[in-house]
Amino acid sequence: MMQYVADGIVFAAIISLGAIGLSMIYNILRFANFAQGEIVAAGAYFALAFVALLGAGVGAMGPVAFGWPLLVSMGFAMAATSTMVLLVDWLLFRQLRDKNASRIALIMAAFGVSLMGRNIVTLAAGGDPINYTFYIPRSIELLPGLRLVPDDLAIIAIAALSVLALHLFLSRTTMGRWMRATAENPTLARINGIDTRVVIRWTWIIGASLATIAGTLQGHIVELRPEMGFSLLLPMFAALILGGVGNVYGTVLGAIVVGVSQSLAVAIGLSAYREAVAFMLMLAILLVRPQGLLGERE
Amino acid sequence: MTAVLDVRDVVAGYTPTLQILRGVSLEVRAGEIVTVLGPNGAGKSTLIKAVAGLVPISAGDIRFLDRDITGMRTHILVRQGLSYVPQTENVFARLSVEENLALGADFDRAAMEERRGQVLDLFPDLARLGHLAAGKLSGGQRQMVAVGRALMSAPKLLMLDEPSAGLSPKLAQTVFTQLRRIRDAGVTILIVEQNARAALAVSDRGYVLAEGRERMHGSAAELLDSPEVGALYLGAKSRLARK
């Protein structure tokens, strides 16, 4: 059982990073970004491009089958993905915001970006699965009955460090305070001298950077496919809603519940229905706490 | 006296087809407290929001410290010394009192400590509430945070929309007394207020709006004594004139 919980936490680590971006965009731009899955996929493919450009493979760090070359490539990919989403925002979402477009119009636009994005990735990289590197994962026994691949531990550590860095950014920096203020009341934020356009740009950059980390890690332990982000979209939304829409820390908790419940569904022989099990659990929790685990009642 | 704010023939509204202000002019001079009165729907709040850059202006112009600020973005106006305290939702409920105050001076961090000291001198209660989320405070405490935050930006002009709304008469009186202290410290003040008697008592001059137009203006004493103001604003001149 412990093994399944651990496997679920590895999956949770990945979807939480994608879902945090979803949460921040919902909080500050006030719409559900259905293109978040494609941002995850774009991040993974950008990292692949930089791995190829650097020509050093993915490296290794002791027992972990990736090292500085993949991490450096991921850093470049974060910058590339951020630039891409800023361009999409400038070309599309900002125009819609300036025209006071409805929330549903923004969601439909995000759907359009999602479809386009997936097709562009397919055109550019082909539809076949790709791997950063081929390796044979060797698990180590952490506790009796609990074995983990060192890469899984590295993934949990990277996700935890990313969430900690985000927490420090939001709670200790001026821009973090501006983001929290804008999320709560954008008009009052402007009355306080906050340029909400800058806040929006930072929101996209952080959301895209975390999505790139999620995509790269998912690509490393599974594979890269054009629809890899889209297949993570439902668990990401489930984590967002379960944790309490707009609450970054709730989103992480929601991701853990979704990841672990999917994994436990496999443990009890329901592997074909594992997503359904996670969603049923989500519905059950929402019936008791409609605002989500850490959300505030409106 | 120099005009800090000069509003000339402003036409403004939330949509191009619905103009709330239909040619309003108003002047606020340095060191004054000016109150804008009027019945509900007269356009008082819209006027203050138009000055703050929150409502589109379709005609007329607004000058602040002799610069044309018509249509300027709100966050730039704040950085130039124009601060606005809305009537409702005027604090960040999820942020602590300390964070609310800090937000007011985030774009001039060098002066933050000095300004915090000035605000705490004016509202000493805020010192012990610093760590609390602003959403947990009472109405009066929230109003102190809202005004304190606005003062953290060291405004040349402080605009307040119904600062006494929802407060007990005693607390409302305290707010108006503090506004006089703020003015004495060199901040020019423009108030939009329903509580006409209390607001005019601390004001130098006042304007009366009705249906989006200026109905009359004069010194606070003239307005307090005016039968027309009493009839227009409260429907009973004796109530307004009574002290």
Side-chain angles (χ1 to χ4, degrees):
Chain A
M1 188 61 73
M2 214 155 46
Q3 183 65 52
Y4 287 101
V5 171
D7 291 343
I9 288 173
V10 175
F11 182 56
I14 290 170
I15 58 171
S16 66
L17 295 178
I20 286 171
L22 208 54
S23 173
M24 291 179 74
I25 289 165
Y26 187 88
N27 242 350
I28 288 173
L29 286 105
R30 307 267 193 265
F31 77 97
N33 180 24
F34 278 88
Q36 185 71 2
E38 277 58 47
I39 299 176
V40 169
Y45 277 91
F46 274 129
L48 178 71
F50 285 111
V51 165
L53 271 176
L54 291 176
V58 295
M61 284 186 295
V64 179
F66 66 87
W68 293 113
L70 183 65
L71 295 177
V72 169
S73 299
M74 188 169 78
F76 283 128
M78 285 158 74
T81 315
S82 298
T83 308
M84 179 194 77
V85 295
L86 287 175
L87 190 66
V88 172
D89 184 61
W90 182 69
L91 286 171
L92 180 65
F93 293 116
R94 184 181 162 179
Q95 313 295 331
L96 292 170
R97 281 197 303 275
D98 287 349
K99 291 177 173 61
N100 288 322
S102 65
R103 200 177 284 202
I104 192 73
L106 288 165
I107 291 173
M108 287 298 121
F111 262 124
V113 171
S114 163
L115 286 170
M116 259 171 40
R118 220 173 313 151
N119 283 300
I120 290 170
V121 170
T122 308
L123 271 173
D128 295 332
I130 309 172
N131 291 84
Y132 291 119
T133 182
F134 288 101
Y135 74 103
I136 300 164
R138 284 189 197 156
S139 62
I140 49 173
E141 187 166 26
L142 292 178
L143 294 167
L146 175 62
R147 298 185 71 85
L148 272 181
V149 178
D151 294 48
D152 291 344
L153 288 173
I155 284 169
I156 293 170
I158 289 171
L161 282 174
S162 302
V163 173
L164 177 67
L166 178 68
H167 168 73
L168 293 175
F169 177 82
L170 289 175
S171 59
R172 304 279 172 87
T173 68
T174 301
M175 182 51 69
R177 189 158 57 217
W178 288 10
M179 292 178 90
R180 287 186 291 138
T182 305
E184 187 177 329
N185 187 335
T187 304
L188 190 57
R190 284 191 284 146
I191 291 169
N192 270 280
I194 297 172
D195 186 350
T196 50
R197 291 175 309 180
V198 175
V199 171
I200 286 171
R201 284 199 282 274
W202 273 93
T203 305
W204 281 117
I205 289 169
I206 293 170
S209 299
L210 292 176
T212 300
I213 299 173
T216 308
L217 298 179
Q218 174 76 354
H220 175 69
I221 58 167
V222 187
E223 61 192 9
L224 285 85
R225 291 175 294 120
E227 64 276 15
M228 64 183 284
F230 185 70
S231 64
L232 291 176
L233 193 63
L234 276 179
M236 287 194 296
F237 265 113
L240 172 76
I241 296 165
L242 192 54
V245 175
N247 185 314
V248 168
Y249 311 110
T251 301
V252 176
L253 187 59
I256 292 171
V257 174
V258 170
V260 171
S261 60
Q262 284 204 15
S263 192
L264 290 179
V266 176
I268 57 172
L270 295 171
S271 59
Y273 306 102
R274 60 185 193 158
E275 284 180 355
V277 168
F279 274 86
M280 280 172 65
L281 181 70
M282 182 188 86
L283 290 175
I285 291 174
L286 289 180
L287 282 173
V288 181
R289 273 187 71 83
Q291 71 273 37
L293 292 168
L294 296 187
E296 290 170 16
R297 202 178 273 274
E298 298 217 349
Chain B
M1 234 186 298
T2 327
V4 172
L5 181 71
D6 191 6
V7 177
R8 286 280 160 255
D9 305 319
V10 163
V11 177
Y14 297 91
T15 64
T17 53
L18 183 67
Q19 299 299 347
I20 309 289
L21 301 178
R22 301 167 189 174
V24 171
S25 297
L26 166 147
E27 189 182 70
V28 184
R29 298 170 202 143
E32 277 189 320
I33 298 181
V34 173
T35 293
V36 179
L37 304 170
N40 281 335
K44 305 184 300 291
S45 295
T46 307
L47 170 64
I48 219 168
K49 285 180 185 169
V51 173
L54 294 167
V55 172
I57 296 164
S58 47
D61 57 70
I62 301 174
R63 297 186 75 80
F64 174 60
L65 296 172
D66 223 17
R67 279 188 66 184
D68 187 2
I69 58 161
T70 316
M72 200 177 268
R73 290 173 65 88
T74 304
H75 73 275
I76 297 170
L77 289 173
V78 178
R79 294 172 190 213
Q80 295 197 348
L82 195 152
S83 214
Y84 163 53
V85 180
Q87 181 187 351
T88 56
E89 296 184 7
N90 53 17
V91 296
F92 294 102
R94 289 181 213 143
L95 271 57
S96 70
V97 169
E98 193 57 48
E99 286 179 313
N100 267 276
L101 293 181
L103 273 170
D106 263 342
F107 50 87
D108 190 5
R109 297 181 65 82
M112 190 176 285
E113 281 311 310
E114 184 192 341
R115 289 182 197 162
R116 184 187 279 122
Q118 290 165 349
V119 167
L120 294 182
D121 185 41
L122 204 59
F123 303 114
D125 282 358
L126 295 185
R128 65 180 172 81
L129 303 171
H131 63 286
L132 282 180
K136 306 262 185 215
L137 305 181
S138 68
Q141 289 169 331
R142 280 186 188 217
Q143 194 66 319
M144 282 193 280
V145 174
V147 175
R149 196 195 53 241
L151 291 174
M152 288 291 284
S153 64
K156 304 281 190 306
L157 174 66
L158 176 63
M159 303 192 296
L160 301 108
D161 193 352
E162 309 267 0
S164 72
L167 302 184
S168 68
K170 191 181 168 194
L171 213 48
Q173 195 50 53
T174 309
V175 168
F176 286 118
T177 306
Q178 295 298 45
L179 290 182
R180 195 165 241 169
R181 282 187 66 191
I182 292 167
R183 188 272 305 273
D184 293 344
V187 181
T188 304
I189 298 175
L190 174 64
I191 311 171
V192 159
E193 186 55 69
Q194 293 275 3
N195 189 350
R197 196 147 49 93
L200 286 174
V202 298
S203 298
D204 299 291
R205 293 188 304 115
Y207 287 79
V208 180
L209 298 189
E211 296 175 345
R213 291 189 173 88
E214 183 208 315
R215 193 66 172 260
M216 63 186 296
H217 70 272
S219 71
E222 285 168 355
L223 293 181
L224 275 167
D225 290 337
S226 162
E228 193 185 346
V229 171
L232 247 176
Y233 183 64
L234 292 171
K237 65 179 178 183
S238 57
R239 281 182 63 193
L240 187 65
R242 194 173 60 227
K243 298 231 173 173

